Tab-separated table of all heavy atoms in Angstrom:
chain	number	residue	atom	x	y	z
A	1	MET	N	0.867	-1.165	0.005
A	1	MET	CA	0.016	-0.015	0.005
A	1	MET	C	0.867	1.237	0.042
A	1	MET	O	2.056	1.219	0.439
A	1	MET	CB	-0.875	0.028	1.262
A	1	MET	CG	-1.895	-1.101	1.315
A	1	MET	SD	-3.245	-0.933	0.063
A	1	MET	CE	-4.350	0.154	0.999
A	2	ILE	N	0.287	2.326	-0.453
A	2	ILE	CA	0.972	3.619	-0.463
A	2	ILE	C	0.335	4.503	0.615
A	2	ILE	O	-0.907	4.603	0.619
A	2	ILE	CB	0.811	4.336	-1.869
A	2	ILE	CG1	1.290	3.399	-2.945
A	2	ILE	CG2	1.530	5.617	-1.866
A	2	ILE	CD1	0.809	3.804	-4.313
A	3	LYS	N	1.176	5.120	1.397
A	3	LYS	CA	0.642	6.031	2.436
A	3	LYS	C	0.769	7.486	1.936
A	3	LYS	O	1.789	7.827	1.380
A	3	LYS	CB	1.453	5.826	3.703
A	3	LYS	CG	0.818	6.560	4.896
A	3	LYS	CD	1.395	6.009	6.168
A	3	LYS	CE	0.998	6.704	7.471
A	3	LYS	NZ	-0.103	7.551	7.419
A	4	ILE	N	-0.282	8.239	2.084
A	4	ILE	CA	-0.279	9.593	1.634
A	4	ILE	C	-0.467	10.528	2.861
A	4	ILE	O	-1.219	10.196	3.773
A	4	ILE	CB	-1.426	9.906	0.691
A	4	ILE	CG1	-1.648	8.739	-0.223
A	4	ILE	CG2	-1.206	11.191	-0.095
A	4	ILE	CD1	-3.079	8.804	-0.811
A	5	SER	N	0.234	11.664	2.853
A	5	SER	CA	-0.054	12.627	3.877
A	5	SER	C	0.111	14.039	3.338
A	5	SER	O	0.783	14.282	2.308
A	5	SER	CB	0.902	12.480	5.086
A	5	SER	OG	2.225	12.538	4.679
A	6	ILE	N	-0.569	15.003	3.980
A	6	ILE	CA	-0.503	16.405	3.568
A	6	ILE	C	-0.035	17.208	4.660
A	6	ILE	O	-0.529	17.088	5.832
A	6	ILE	CB	-1.852	16.936	3.102
A	6	ILE	CG1	-2.416	16.124	1.884
A	6	ILE	CG2	-1.804	18.426	2.777
A	6	ILE	CD1	-3.807	16.469	1.525
A	7	ASP	N	1.003	18.015	4.499
A	7	ASP	CA	1.534	18.895	5.537
A	7	ASP	C	0.678	20.200	5.528
A	7	ASP	O	0.856	21.039	4.668
A	7	ASP	CB	2.969	19.227	5.231
A	7	ASP	CG	3.613	20.045	6.401
A	7	ASP	OD1	2.824	20.723	7.149
A	7	ASP	OD2	4.859	20.033	6.507
A	8	LEU	N	-0.274	20.243	6.433
A	8	LEU	CA	-1.182	21.367	6.425
A	8	LEU	C	-0.522	22.690	6.857
A	8	LEU	O	-1.071	23.761	6.655
A	8	LEU	CB	-2.400	21.098	7.362
A	8	LEU	CG	-3.316	19.997	6.804
A	8	LEU	CD1	-4.430	19.680	7.750
A	8	LEU	CD2	-3.930	20.387	5.495
A	9	GLY	N	0.691	22.539	7.374
A	9	GLY	CA	1.484	23.800	7.681
A	9	GLY	C	1.967	24.423	6.367
A	9	GLY	O	2.325	25.583	6.347
A	10	LEU	N	2.028	23.630	5.294
A	10	LEU	CA	2.510	24.106	4.011
A	10	LEU	C	1.362	24.407	3.032
A	10	LEU	O	1.430	25.325	2.230
A	10	LEU	CB	3.444	23.139	3.322
A	10	LEU	CG	4.741	22.818	4.048
A	10	LEU	CD1	5.482	21.729	3.353
A	10	LEU	CD2	5.610	24.093	4.046
A	11	CYS	N	0.264	23.646	3.126
A	11	CYS	CA	-0.807	23.724	2.220
A	11	CYS	C	-1.361	25.130	2.091
A	11	CYS	O	-1.666	25.763	3.125
A	11	CYS	CB	-1.933	22.754	2.562
A	11	CYS	SG	-3.373	22.853	1.487
A	12	GLN	N	-1.503	25.637	0.883
A	12	GLN	CA	-2.096	26.998	0.657
A	12	GLN	C	-3.401	26.909	-0.085
A	12	GLN	O	-3.941	27.932	-0.451
A	12	GLN	CB	-1.076	27.836	-0.191
A	12	GLN	CG	0.236	28.034	0.487
A	12	GLN	CD	0.118	28.884	1.751
A	12	GLN	OE1	-0.577	29.887	1.688
A	12	GLN	NE2	0.770	28.440	2.814
A	13	GLY	N	-3.956	25.707	-0.212
A	13	GLY	CA	-5.282	25.547	-0.808
A	13	GLY	C	-5.371	25.855	-2.292
A	13	GLY	O	-6.419	26.255	-2.761
A	14	TYR	N	-4.278	25.631	-3.006
A	14	TYR	CA	-4.337	25.834	-4.435
A	14	TYR	C	-5.263	24.945	-5.160
A	14	TYR	O	-5.790	25.251	-6.216
A	14	TYR	CB	-2.965	25.764	-5.023
A	14	TYR	CG	-2.003	26.809	-4.607
A	14	TYR	CD1	-0.946	26.501	-3.711
A	14	TYR	CD2	-2.136	28.108	-5.062
A	14	TYR	CE1	-0.075	27.506	-3.345
A	14	TYR	CE2	-1.254	29.071	-4.668
A	14	TYR	CZ	-0.198	28.808	-3.768
A	14	TYR	OH	0.617	29.744	-3.333
A	15	GLY	N	-5.418	23.774	-4.633
A	15	GLY	CA	-6.358	22.796	-5.242
A	15	GLY	C	-5.794	21.966	-6.427
A	15	GLY	O	-6.543	21.240	-7.002
A	16	ASN	N	-4.550	22.146	-6.687
A	16	ASN	CA	-3.930	21.402	-7.811
A	16	ASN	C	-4.099	19.875	-7.614
A	16	ASN	O	-4.290	19.146	-8.552
A	16	ASN	CB	-2.477	21.752	-8.002
A	16	ASN	CG	-2.298	23.189	-8.291
A	16	ASN	OD1	-3.115	24.051	-7.988
A	16	ASN	ND2	-1.096	23.612	-8.778
A	17	CYS	N	-3.932	19.481	-6.323
A	17	CYS	CA	-4.041	18.086	-6.035
A	17	CYS	C	-5.386	17.576	-6.293
A	17	CYS	O	-5.575	16.408	-6.769
A	17	CYS	CB	-3.617	17.799	-4.573
A	17	CYS	SG	-4.551	18.774	-3.375
A	18	VAL	N	-6.401	18.306	-6.002
A	18	VAL	CA	-7.779	17.935	-6.249
A	18	VAL	C	-8.043	17.727	-7.804
A	18	VAL	O	-8.673	16.726	-8.150
A	18	VAL	CB	-8.765	18.960	-5.713
A	18	VAL	CG1	-10.182	18.483	-5.846
A	18	VAL	CG2	-8.467	19.235	-4.243
A	19	SER	N	-7.456	18.639	-8.565
A	19	SER	CA	-7.615	18.498	-10.011
A	19	SER	C	-6.884	17.246	-10.508
A	19	SER	O	-7.355	16.539	-11.425
A	19	SER	CB	-7.007	19.686	-10.708
A	19	SER	OG	-7.661	20.850	-10.334
A	20	ALA	N	-5.737	16.900	-9.850
A	20	ALA	CA	-4.965	15.791	-10.307
A	20	ALA	C	-5.614	14.452	-9.939
A	20	ALA	O	-5.572	13.481	-10.739
A	20	ALA	CB	-3.544	15.813	-9.687
A	21	ASP	N	-6.216	14.365	-8.748
A	21	ASP	CA	-6.830	13.096	-8.348
A	21	ASP	C	-8.003	13.338	-7.317
A	21	ASP	O	-7.812	13.238	-6.119
A	21	ASP	CB	-5.805	12.150	-7.659
A	21	ASP	CG	-6.308	10.715	-7.630
A	21	ASP	OD1	-7.560	10.539	-7.655
A	21	ASP	OD2	-5.471	9.823	-7.611
A	22	PRO	N	-9.134	13.725	-7.870
A	22	PRO	CA	-10.280	14.062	-7.005
A	22	PRO	C	-10.829	12.913	-6.176
A	22	PRO	O	-11.585	13.181	-5.228
A	22	PRO	CB	-11.324	14.608	-7.974
A	22	PRO	CG	-10.924	14.126	-9.288
A	22	PRO	CD	-9.410	13.879	-9.307
A	23	GLU	N	-10.485	11.743	-6.521
A	23	GLU	CA	-10.945	10.577	-5.732
A	23	GLU	C	-10.189	10.496	-4.380
A	23	GLU	O	-10.685	9.885	-3.422
A	23	GLU	CB	-10.747	9.280	-6.458
A	23	GLU	CG	-11.722	9.107	-7.653
A	23	GLU	CD	-11.493	7.775	-8.338
A	23	GLU	OE1	-10.850	6.850	-7.766
A	23	GLU	OE2	-11.980	7.645	-9.454
A	24	ILE	N	-9.041	11.129	-4.292
A	24	ILE	CA	-8.206	11.093	-3.091
A	24	ILE	C	-8.178	12.395	-2.374
A	24	ILE	O	-8.297	12.484	-1.150
A	24	ILE	CB	-6.800	10.573	-3.401
A	24	ILE	CG1	-6.925	9.091	-3.899
A	24	ILE	CG2	-5.877	10.710	-2.215
A	24	ILE	CD1	-5.612	8.524	-4.303
A	25	PHE	N	-7.949	13.520	-3.179
A	25	PHE	CA	-7.808	14.822	-2.550
A	25	PHE	C	-9.077	15.610	-2.643
A	25	PHE	O	-9.824	15.489	-3.615
A	25	PHE	CB	-6.644	15.553	-3.217
A	25	PHE	CG	-5.330	14.898	-3.209
A	25	PHE	CD1	-4.957	14.035	-4.180
A	25	PHE	CD2	-4.513	14.994	-2.075
A	25	PHE	CE1	-3.689	13.380	-4.151
A	25	PHE	CE2	-3.276	14.403	-1.990
A	25	PHE	CZ	-2.882	13.538	-3.046
A	26	ASP	N	-9.294	16.503	-1.640
A	26	ASP	CA	-10.429	17.409	-1.657
A	26	ASP	C	-10.054	18.622	-0.842
A	26	ASP	O	-9.057	18.612	-0.121
A	26	ASP	CB	-11.661	16.705	-1.086
A	26	ASP	CG	-12.969	17.220	-1.754
A	26	ASP	OD1	-12.911	18.338	-2.280
A	26	ASP	OD2	-13.958	16.522	-1.624
A	27	LEU	N	-10.844	19.695	-0.961
A	27	LEU	CA	-10.638	20.838	-0.112
A	27	LEU	C	-11.732	20.968	0.883
A	27	LEU	O	-12.901	20.714	0.606
A	27	LEU	CB	-10.619	22.107	-0.943
A	27	LEU	CG	-9.521	22.257	-1.998
A	27	LEU	CD1	-9.643	23.598	-2.758
A	27	LEU	CD2	-8.126	22.127	-1.335
A	28	ASN	N	-11.394	21.302	2.179
A	28	ASN	CA	-12.406	21.455	3.192
A	28	ASN	C	-13.021	22.828	3.198
A	28	ASN	O	-12.669	23.654	2.310
A	28	ASN	CB	-11.825	21.079	4.574
A	28	ASN	CG	-10.725	22.050	5.026
A	28	ASN	OD1	-10.635	23.149	4.513
A	28	ASN	ND2	-9.846	21.653	5.906
A	29	ASP	N	-13.891	23.115	4.106
A	29	ASP	CA	-14.648	24.372	4.064
A	29	ASP	C	-13.727	25.560	4.282
A	29	ASP	O	-14.020	26.721	3.894
A	29	ASP	CB	-15.718	24.356	5.122
A	29	ASP	CG	-16.865	23.431	4.799
A	29	ASP	OD1	-16.949	23.034	3.639
A	29	ASP	OD2	-17.594	23.043	5.729
A	30	SER	N	-12.546	25.350	4.904
A	30	SER	CA	-11.592	26.380	5.114
A	30	SER	C	-10.705	26.577	3.923
A	30	SER	O	-9.789	27.427	3.924
A	30	SER	CB	-10.758	26.069	6.354
A	30	SER	OG	-11.570	25.936	7.475
A	31	GLY	N	-10.842	25.691	2.895
A	31	GLY	CA	-10.026	25.827	1.698
A	31	GLY	C	-8.733	25.103	1.701
A	31	GLY	O	-7.898	25.326	0.859
A	32	PHE	N	-8.560	24.225	2.682
A	32	PHE	CA	-7.286	23.399	2.748
A	32	PHE	C	-7.570	21.944	2.329
A	32	PHE	O	-8.688	21.484	2.487
A	32	PHE	CB	-6.674	23.479	4.129
A	32	PHE	CG	-6.230	24.875	4.509
A	32	PHE	CD1	-7.005	25.631	5.415
A	32	PHE	CD2	-5.138	25.410	3.918
A	32	PHE	CE1	-6.579	26.923	5.779
A	32	PHE	CE2	-4.725	26.734	4.220
A	32	PHE	CZ	-5.445	27.490	5.127
A	33	ALA	N	-6.514	21.343	1.899
A	33	ALA	CA	-6.656	19.963	1.370
A	33	ALA	C	-6.883	18.996	2.517
A	33	ALA	O	-6.409	19.082	3.573
A	33	ALA	CB	-5.434	19.621	0.571
A	34	PHE	N	-7.666	18.006	2.188
A	34	PHE	CA	-7.769	16.745	3.031
A	34	PHE	C	-7.843	15.510	2.130
A	34	PHE	O	-8.050	15.611	0.965
A	34	PHE	CB	-8.939	16.864	4.015
A	34	PHE	CG	-10.331	16.738	3.325
A	34	PHE	CD1	-10.892	15.450	3.269
A	34	PHE	CD2	-10.959	17.828	2.899
A	34	PHE	CE1	-12.147	15.285	2.667
A	34	PHE	CE2	-12.244	17.693	2.284
A	34	PHE	CZ	-12.821	16.433	2.198
A	35	LEU	N	-7.646	14.391	2.788
A	35	LEU	CA	-7.616	13.130	2.030
A	35	LEU	C	-8.894	12.336	2.227
A	35	LEU	O	-9.371	12.197	3.378
A	35	LEU	CB	-6.452	12.296	2.554
A	35	LEU	CG	-5.083	12.906	2.310
A	35	LEU	CD1	-4.035	12.106	3.175
A	35	LEU	CD2	-4.699	12.840	0.886
A	36	HIS	N	-9.423	11.787	1.169
A	36	HIS	CA	-10.588	10.898	1.328
A	36	HIS	C	-10.071	9.544	1.877
A	36	HIS	O	-10.839	8.900	2.620
A	36	HIS	CB	-11.269	10.649	-0.014
A	36	HIS	CG	-12.095	11.816	-0.422
A	36	HIS	ND1	-13.187	12.266	0.247
A	36	HIS	CD2	-11.944	12.682	-1.537
A	36	HIS	CE1	-13.722	13.321	-0.401
A	36	HIS	NE2	-12.986	13.600	-1.471
A	37	VAL	N	-8.881	9.193	1.489
A	37	VAL	CA	-8.268	7.933	1.999
A	37	VAL	C	-6.789	8.242	2.235
A	37	VAL	O	-6.211	9.052	1.532
A	37	VAL	CB	-8.412	6.746	1.037
A	37	VAL	CG1	-9.841	6.242	0.957
A	37	VAL	CG2	-7.877	7.103	-0.337
A	38	GLU	N	-6.188	7.596	3.226
A	38	GLU	CA	-4.782	7.828	3.588
A	38	GLU	C	-3.878	6.738	3.043
A	38	GLU	O	-2.672	6.901	3.031
A	38	GLU	CB	-4.589	8.001	5.052
A	38	GLU	CG	-5.360	9.269	5.523
A	38	GLU	CD	-5.079	9.567	7.007
A	38	GLU	OE1	-4.391	8.776	7.643
A	38	GLU	OE2	-5.547	10.584	7.452
A	39	GLU	N	-4.481	5.576	2.660
A	39	GLU	CA	-3.685	4.510	2.083
A	39	GLU	C	-4.386	3.965	0.857
A	39	GLU	O	-5.575	3.823	0.846
A	39	GLU	CB	-3.508	3.382	3.071
A	39	GLU	CG	-2.519	3.666	4.223
A	39	GLU	CD	-2.103	2.407	4.936
A	39	GLU	OE1	-2.698	1.329	4.735
A	39	GLU	OE2	-1.172	2.520	5.727
A	40	VAL	N	-3.629	3.843	-0.226
A	40	VAL	CA	-4.199	3.370	-1.467
A	40	VAL	C	-3.363	2.272	-2.091
A	40	VAL	O	-2.178	2.160	-1.710
A	40	VAL	CB	-4.336	4.552	-2.483
A	40	VAL	CG1	-5.275	5.636	-1.987
A	40	VAL	CG2	-3.000	5.095	-2.801
A	41	PRO	N	-3.904	1.464	-2.955
A	41	PRO	CA	-3.113	0.364	-3.565
A	41	PRO	C	-1.989	0.891	-4.415
A	41	PRO	O	-2.004	2.045	-4.903
A	41	PRO	CB	-4.190	-0.328	-4.442
A	41	PRO	CG	-5.509	0.038	-3.859
A	41	PRO	CD	-5.333	1.405	-3.286
A	42	ASP	N	-0.996	0.022	-4.556
A	42	ASP	CA	0.238	0.428	-5.218
A	42	ASP	C	0.025	0.894	-6.661
A	42	ASP	O	0.824	1.667	-7.196
A	42	ASP	CB	1.236	-0.741	-5.243
A	42	ASP	CG	1.717	-1.043	-3.863
A	42	ASP	OD1	1.515	-0.215	-2.957
A	42	ASP	OD2	2.274	-2.122	-3.670
A	43	ASP	N	-1.065	0.434	-7.312
A	43	ASP	CA	-1.217	0.841	-8.718
A	43	ASP	C	-1.616	2.295	-8.847
A	43	ASP	O	-1.718	2.751	-10.007
A	43	ASP	CB	-2.239	-0.114	-9.405
A	43	ASP	CG	-3.658	-0.105	-8.804
A	43	ASP	OD1	-3.841	0.744	-7.862
A	43	ASP	OD2	-4.477	-0.878	-9.199
A	44	ARG	N	-1.798	3.004	-7.783
A	44	ARG	CA	-2.143	4.447	-7.903
A	44	ARG	C	-0.855	5.284	-7.805
A	44	ARG	O	-0.928	6.549	-7.816
A	44	ARG	CB	-3.038	4.845	-6.771
A	44	ARG	CG	-4.383	4.219	-6.760
A	44	ARG	CD	-5.199	4.584	-8.040
A	44	ARG	NE	-5.649	5.978	-8.023
A	44	ARG	CZ	-6.799	6.390	-7.579
A	44	ARG	NH1	-7.656	5.523	-7.097
A	44	ARG	NH2	-7.132	7.646	-7.616
A	45	LEU	N	0.312	4.701	-7.786
A	45	LEU	CA	1.539	5.412	-7.435
A	45	LEU	C	1.796	6.516	-8.459
A	45	LEU	O	2.123	7.677	-8.087
A	45	LEU	CB	2.740	4.473	-7.379
A	45	LEU	CG	4.073	5.152	-6.993
A	45	LEU	CD1	3.907	5.829	-5.637
A	45	LEU	CD2	5.156	4.099	-6.990
A	46	SER	N	1.667	6.272	-9.792
A	46	SER	CA	2.042	7.272	-10.735
A	46	SER	C	1.033	8.476	-10.656
A	46	SER	O	1.475	9.644	-10.724
A	46	SER	CB	2.111	6.773	-12.134
A	46	SER	OG	0.882	6.484	-12.675
A	47	THR	N	-0.224	8.245	-10.451
A	47	THR	CA	-1.169	9.312	-10.308
A	47	THR	C	-0.880	10.107	-9.052
A	47	THR	O	-0.924	11.368	-9.103
A	47	THR	CB	-2.628	8.748	-10.167
A	47	THR	OG1	-2.833	7.801	-11.199
A	47	THR	CG2	-3.704	9.821	-10.194
A	48	LEU	N	-0.487	9.443	-7.991
A	48	LEU	CA	-0.185	10.187	-6.761
A	48	LEU	C	1.066	10.994	-6.912
A	48	LEU	O	1.135	12.132	-6.371
A	48	LEU	CB	-0.051	9.236	-5.594
A	48	LEU	CG	-1.343	8.634	-5.019
A	48	LEU	CD1	-1.085	7.470	-4.138
A	48	LEU	CD2	-2.125	9.755	-4.316
A	49	ARG	N	2.016	10.433	-7.559
A	49	ARG	CA	3.264	11.214	-7.760
A	49	ARG	C	3.008	12.459	-8.621
A	49	ARG	O	3.551	13.532	-8.414
A	49	ARG	CB	4.331	10.302	-8.433
A	49	ARG	CG	4.931	9.289	-7.430
A	49	ARG	CD	6.328	9.000	-7.728
A	49	ARG	NE	6.992	8.348	-6.591
A	49	ARG	CZ	7.608	7.218	-6.566
A	49	ARG	NH1	7.624	6.451	-7.702
A	49	ARG	NH2	8.160	6.763	-5.450
A	50	ASP	N	2.089	12.314	-9.604
A	50	ASP	CA	1.700	13.446	-10.413
A	50	ASP	C	1.050	14.549	-9.536
A	50	ASP	O	1.332	15.726	-9.634
A	50	ASP	CB	0.715	13.031	-11.533
A	50	ASP	CG	1.446	12.246	-12.600
A	50	ASP	OD1	2.686	12.238	-12.613
A	50	ASP	OD2	0.764	11.654	-13.464
A	51	ALA	N	0.176	14.087	-8.641
A	51	ALA	CA	-0.517	15.016	-7.750
A	51	ALA	C	0.465	15.721	-6.832
A	51	ALA	O	0.361	16.934	-6.625
A	51	ALA	CB	-1.581	14.301	-6.935
A	52	ALA	N	1.435	14.975	-6.293
A	52	ALA	CA	2.455	15.611	-5.416
A	52	ALA	C	3.272	16.593	-6.215
A	52	ALA	O	3.626	17.634	-5.724
A	52	ALA	CB	3.319	14.487	-4.811
A	53	ALA	N	3.554	16.247	-7.464
A	53	ALA	CA	4.401	17.098	-8.316
A	53	ALA	C	3.713	18.436	-8.639
A	53	ALA	O	4.426	19.440	-8.848
A	53	ALA	CB	4.801	16.383	-9.600
A	54	VAL	N	2.375	18.458	-8.679
A	54	VAL	CA	1.767	19.733	-9.100
A	54	VAL	C	1.411	20.616	-7.889
A	54	VAL	O	0.929	21.688	-8.063
A	54	VAL	CB	0.463	19.463	-9.923
A	54	VAL	CG1	0.799	18.832	-11.249
A	54	VAL	CG2	-0.570	18.701	-9.151
A	55	CYS	N	1.730	20.114	-6.689
A	55	CYS	CA	1.520	20.980	-5.512
A	55	CYS	C	2.618	22.003	-5.470
A	55	CYS	O	3.833	21.649	-5.360
A	55	CYS	CB	1.527	20.107	-4.275
A	55	CYS	SG	1.404	21.110	-2.716
A	56	PRO	N	2.277	23.302	-5.549
A	56	PRO	CA	3.313	24.345	-5.571
A	56	PRO	C	4.147	24.466	-4.365
A	56	PRO	O	5.227	25.027	-4.444
A	56	PRO	CB	2.519	25.611	-5.814
A	56	PRO	CG	1.156	25.196	-6.177
A	56	PRO	CD	0.884	23.809	-5.630
A	57	VAL	N	3.683	23.940	-3.236
A	57	VAL	CA	4.433	24.128	-2.001
A	57	VAL	C	4.991	22.781	-1.469
A	57	VAL	O	5.430	22.656	-0.381
A	57	VAL	CB	3.553	24.795	-0.913
A	57	VAL	CG1	3.271	26.222	-1.286
A	57	VAL	CG2	2.311	23.991	-0.620
A	58	GLU	N	4.865	21.748	-2.299
A	58	GLU	CA	5.428	20.404	-1.966
A	58	GLU	C	4.881	19.896	-0.630
A	58	GLU	O	5.675	19.415	0.183
A	58	GLU	CB	6.925	20.423	-2.004
A	58	GLU	CG	7.479	20.761	-3.425
A	58	GLU	CD	9.012	20.719	-3.464
A	58	GLU	OE1	9.661	20.333	-2.471
A	58	GLU	OE2	9.529	21.091	-4.538
A	59	ALA	N	3.607	20.095	-0.407
A	59	ALA	CA	2.971	19.667	0.870
A	59	ALA	C	2.587	18.201	0.882
A	59	ALA	O	2.279	17.639	1.943
A	59	ALA	CB	1.737	20.511	1.104
A	60	ILE	N	2.574	17.530	-0.285
A	60	ILE	CA	2.108	16.149	-0.327
A	60	ILE	C	3.277	15.187	-0.285
A	60	ILE	O	4.267	15.276	-0.993
A	60	ILE	CB	1.314	15.928	-1.665
A	60	ILE	CG1	0.086	16.900	-1.741
A	60	ILE	CG2	0.847	14.499	-1.799
A	60	ILE	CD1	-0.557	16.972	-3.054
A	61	ARG	N	3.118	14.238	0.678
A	61	ARG	CA	4.120	13.126	0.845
A	61	ARG	C	3.497	11.845	0.330
A	61	ARG	O	2.369	11.528	0.762
A	61	ARG	CB	4.506	12.950	2.309
A	61	ARG	CG	5.195	14.165	2.894
A	61	ARG	CD	6.736	14.134	2.635
A	61	ARG	NE	7.332	15.370	2.977
A	61	ARG	CZ	7.472	16.403	2.136
A	61	ARG	NH1	6.960	16.367	0.926
A	61	ARG	NH2	8.015	17.563	2.520
A	62	VAL	N	4.202	11.115	-0.489
A	62	VAL	CA	3.759	9.844	-0.991
A	62	VAL	C	4.831	8.834	-0.557
A	62	VAL	O	5.992	8.937	-0.897
A	62	VAL	CB	3.664	9.907	-2.554
A	62	VAL	CG1	3.301	8.463	-3.051
A	62	VAL	CG2	2.601	10.929	-2.955
A	63	GLU	N	4.372	7.865	0.249
A	63	GLU	CA	5.323	6.815	0.750
A	63	GLU	C	4.906	5.453	0.254
A	63	GLU	O	3.973	4.850	0.729
A	63	GLU	CB	5.282	6.817	2.294
A	63	GLU	CG	5.687	8.140	2.929
A	63	GLU	CD	5.475	8.107	4.423
A	63	GLU	OE1	5.914	7.111	5.035
A	63	GLU	OE2	4.902	8.990	4.988
A	64	PRO	N	5.557	5.010	-0.833
A	64	PRO	CA	5.315	3.631	-1.298
A	64	PRO	C	5.754	2.622	-0.240
A	64	PRO	O	6.590	2.905	0.636
A	64	PRO	CB	6.170	3.500	-2.552
A	64	PRO	CG	6.605	4.890	-2.906
A	64	PRO	CD	6.587	5.674	-1.612
A	65	ASP	N	5.190	1.424	-0.294
A	65	ASP	CA	5.539	0.319	0.532
A	65	ASP	C	5.405	0.711	2.015
A	65	ASP	O	6.191	0.420	2.852
A	65	ASP	CB	7.035	-0.123	0.357
A	65	ASP	CG	7.181	-0.720	-1.021
A	65	ASP	OD1	6.230	-1.332	-1.537
A	65	ASP	OD2	8.285	-0.574	-1.618
A	66	ALA	N	4.280	1.426	2.333
A	66	ALA	CA	3.994	1.813	3.674
A	66	ALA	C	3.750	0.577	4.559
A	66	ALA	O	3.841	0.662	5.802
A	66	ALA	CB	2.763	2.695	3.784
A	67	ASP	N	3.489	-0.555	3.915
A	67	ASP	CA	3.292	-1.852	4.690
A	67	ASP	C	4.602	-2.559	4.866
A	67	ASP	O	4.590	-3.724	5.293
A	67	ASP	CB	2.240	-2.721	4.009
A	67	ASP	CG	2.659	-2.999	2.539
A	67	ASP	OD1	3.721	-2.525	2.129
A	67	ASP	OD2	1.884	-3.655	1.885
A	68	GLY	N	5.739	-1.922	4.538
A	68	GLY	CA	7.021	-2.567	4.689
A	68	GLY	C	7.446	-3.415	3.499
A	68	GLY	O	8.410	-4.094	3.475
A	69	GLY	N	6.654	-3.246	2.411
A	69	GLY	CA	7.024	-3.970	1.195
A	69	GLY	C	6.637	-5.418	1.206
A	69	GLY	O	7.035	-6.185	0.297
A	70	GLN	N	5.880	-5.859	2.189
A	70	GLN	CA	5.485	-7.243	2.241
A	70	GLN	C	4.214	-7.491	1.451
A	70	GLN	O	3.203	-6.840	1.658
A	70	GLN	CB	5.283	-7.679	3.674
A	70	GLN	CG	6.544	-7.642	4.464
A	70	GLN	CD	6.291	-7.826	5.970
A	70	GLN	OE1	5.209	-7.916	6.413
A	70	GLN	NE2	7.372	-7.709	6.732
A	71	ARG	N	4.303	-8.388	0.520
A	71	ARG	CA	3.157	-8.670	-0.298
A	71	ARG	C	2.819	-10.141	-0.188
A	71	ARG	O	3.696	-10.942	-0.160
A	71	ARG	CB	3.444	-8.352	-1.755
A	71	ARG	CG	4.071	-7.064	-1.973
A	71	ARG	CD	3.171	-6.153	-2.827
A	71	ARG	NE	3.478	-4.718	-2.505
A	71	ARG	CZ	4.416	-4.042	-3.162
A	71	ARG	NH1	5.075	-4.575	-4.131
A	71	ARG	NH2	4.630	-2.822	-2.862
B	1	LIG	S1	-1.939	21.286	-4.302
B	1	LIG	FE1	-0.789	21.446	-2.356
B	1	LIG	S2	-1.178	23.511	-1.642
B	1	LIG	FE2	-2.770	22.979	-3.129
B	1	LIG	S3	-4.467	22.148	-2.005
B	1	LIG	FE3	-3.170	20.419	-2.648
B	1	LIG	S4	-1.825	20.089	-0.936
B	1	LIG	FE4	-2.667	22.139	-0.632
């Protein structure tokens, strides 16, 4: 599984992540990002990396093999 996290100390609410993957990222009523899910299957890695790459403040962390790489 891939673990995702958002550093809300960095997030400026640009919403680029939501555009990149609306099934995972969303904006709350205050305009900051939150996650619909915090762990997703490995086949989402490239989409998640794209979402992390379009965040202007690099607030998105994507950690592959969050389960220790055991399959
Ligand atoms: S792209 Fe980055 S700054 Fe913008 S809402 Fe997403 S996490 Fe926040």
Side-chain angles (χ1 to χ4, degrees):
M1 296 289 277
I2 305 163
K3 189 166 176 13
I4 319 159
S5 58
I6 297 173
D7 186 338
L8 291 176
L10 294 174
C11 176
Q12 297 295 316
Y14 293 108
N16 302 18
C17 55
V18 183
S19 301
D21 197 337
E23 289 182 14
I24 293 177
F25 300 95
D26 209 342
L27 294 182
N28 64 22
D29 291 342
S30 302
F32 296 106
F34 71 92
L35 297 166
H36 286 296
V37 289
E38 294 185 358
E39 285 195 350
V40 296
D42 293 344
D43 60 5
R44 298 295 291 267
L45 184 58
S46 73
T47 309
L48 283 169
R49 286 211 161 123
D50 288 349
V54 296
C55 176
V57 294
E58 299 182 6
I60 299 170
R61 295 273 169 274
V62 176
E63 301 174 47
D65 295 329
D67 55 1
Q70 295 169 2
R71 312 242 156 90

